[in-house]
Amino acid sequence: MRQSQLFGKTLRETPKDEVSANAQLLERGGFIFKNSAGIYSYLPLGWRVFEKIARIIREEINALGAQEIFMSALVEKKYLDATGRWDVDISFEARGKKEKSAGFVLGWTHEEVLTAIALKYINSYKDLPLAAYQIQAKFRNEPRAKSGLLRGREFIMKDLYSFHSSESDLERYYEKVKEQYYKIFNRCGLKTIYTLAAGGIFTSSNTHEFQVLSPIGEDTIFVCSKCEYAENKEISKLKDGDKCPQCDGKIKKENSIEVGNLFPLGTKYSDAFNLQFTNQKGEKERVIMGSYGIGLGRTIGTIVEVYHDDKGIIWPESVAPYKFHLIELESSGQEVKKQAEKIYKTLFDKGLEVLYDDRDDKTAGEKFADADLIGIPNRIIISEKTLSKNSIEIKKRNESKTSLIQISKFVKNS
Ligand code: ATP
Ligand code: MG
């Protein structure tokens, strides 16, 4: 991609209405645009990061045998009436212009909708287990939408739901989801802590959260510095300095961001919708369910909170919008530009992801500052100085050392 053509430009000034690092840097870098408080649009750079994360999630969730679906965002009242969740404070109600009262909400969750769908397709023990997921926007009128992508009023979630014939089958599946979640967050560069938690407004007993330590996190967890056993403050009786209940380590109080969670739902929704299956003896039994969320925007925001310095974002390679940031520093003549174009074309033809700073109206200093802000992991500089040695200069975003490489060698090896 030629940076001169990129939809979305870097901003010099830090947006005044943003307090969190993720919102400031993502807006300044041209990744997202703030439409309203807690409501953001993704621009091309941000959407590329989003798609990288979505892909990682799809690969790891598909590996569980779960099938991707896409449910309607408009959820009719009858679904939420079945569980008494029509009137929750966070919902945005929706109505047609000619209707007098709202008959729909913009979906803030989809347990009810999927249970209603499952009712049509789950009849026998042979239909179980079943798992389906989607990646879709959720709408919640969050009172504290202030931390950029960490807490939006509209945000994109991966929501996975599983249906089982027994509690032990749910437990087995739950453990498998946990393993996949570790893989997903590891691949995104995030170190997560599996934390025992309460259910929030979803009142089920033992739930779990994947938490990332960060000073900006709204959650407080008590975590063992040795074995990483952790409990959310909401439910914990632990205190800072306590002995770990699982080993001889010490408990520490930490702020953290919840990037994902797991809920054993039991029969709450299958009871509400009378979702049953016929077991091997021909008797009716209630279906046992689980649900599992990951916030994609919140994951992006968390990555930025963890990976930035005073100059900008430092993307882990796996989720970076581009692998290479090619920067040409033409000072006179056309030779540098010509060589840069050639390298760009070669990398592009090889299918490598390159952002090419071909802008003529920017100084070297401005180009470097933008590159630091955008945070692409590998910077390639071509200037008269490097060309005099038939070389390019390579620098990683997270290292200060630079190295010269012969152009022919670089092109061959990349
Ligand atoms: P929280 O306690 O942070 O409000 P939650 O318990 O309501 O989250 P779920 O409704 O189960 O979470 O959502 C699943 C995942 O979606 C969360 O783990 C989080 O990553 C993400 N998420 C939840 N609410 C938001 C939000 N307002 N903005 C961005 N991401 C969110
Ligand atoms: Mg919530």
Side-chain angles (χ1 to χ4, degrees), residues 121-138:
Y121 301 103
I122 295 176
N123 298 305
S124 138
Y125 67 93
K126 290 180 194 154
D127 301 322
L128 297 170
L130 177 73
Y133 74 99
Q134 63 173 350
I135 293 177
Q136 197 206 36
K138 297 275 184 282

Side-chain angles (χ1 to χ4, degrees), residues 1 31 36 71 107 131 138 144 149 190 210 219 258 263 284 286 315 332 405:
M1 178 72 211
F31 291 81
S36 309
M71 288 182 268
K138 297 275 184 282
R144 294 162 296 140
L149 294 186
L190 291 176
F210 275 74
D219 286 40
E258 174 201 318
F263 292 90
K284 291 272 186 203
R286 294 177 303 176
W315 293 109
S332 62
I405 298 188

Side-chain angles (χ1 to χ4, degrees), residues 21-54:
N22 80 85
Q24 291 179 352
L25 294 172
L26 288 167
E27 277 182 57
R28 277 190 54 214
F31 291 81
I32 57 173
F33 177 87
K34 184 179 193 171
N35 297 89
S36 309
I39 303 175
Y40 294 88
S41 296
Y42 288 85
L43 299 175
L45 283 180
W47 193 244
R48 287 182 74 93
V49 175
F50 180 93
E51 284 293 334
K52 295 264 166 91
I53 293 173

Side-chain angles (χ1 to χ4, degrees), residues 326-384:
L326 173 64
I327 299 173
E328 56 90 346
L329 303 176
E330 179 69 81
S331 46
S332 62
Q334 282 297 311
E335 199 47 36
V336 171
K337 191 121 200 165
K338 214 171 102 192
Q339 289 301 324
E341 291 282 338
K342 234 163 102 181
I343 294 173
Y344 175 58
K345 187 169 183 314
T346 311
L347 296 178
F348 188 89
D349 289 347
K350 282 189 174 190
L352 295 170
E353 299 175 305
V354 195
L355 181 64
Y356 168 33
D357 195 345
D358 60 336
R359 297 174 301 173
D360 294 329
D361 56 347
K362 299 285 174 204
T363 64
E366 287 169 323
K367 289 188 174 188
F368 290 151
D370 280 351
D372 281 337
L373 175 60
I374 293 171
I376 293 169
N378 303 292
R379 183 185 306 179
I380 306 167
I381 293 148
I382 175 160
S383 65
E384 262 155 39

Side-chain angles (χ1 to χ4, degrees), residues 140 142 150-152 155 157 202 258-261 263 295 298:
R140 296 181 186 174
E142 298 272 5
L150 298 183
R151 184 168 295 283
F155 60 94
M157 192 198 284
F202 310 88
E258 174 201 318
V259 285
N261 58 24
F263 292 90
R298 189 177 288 182

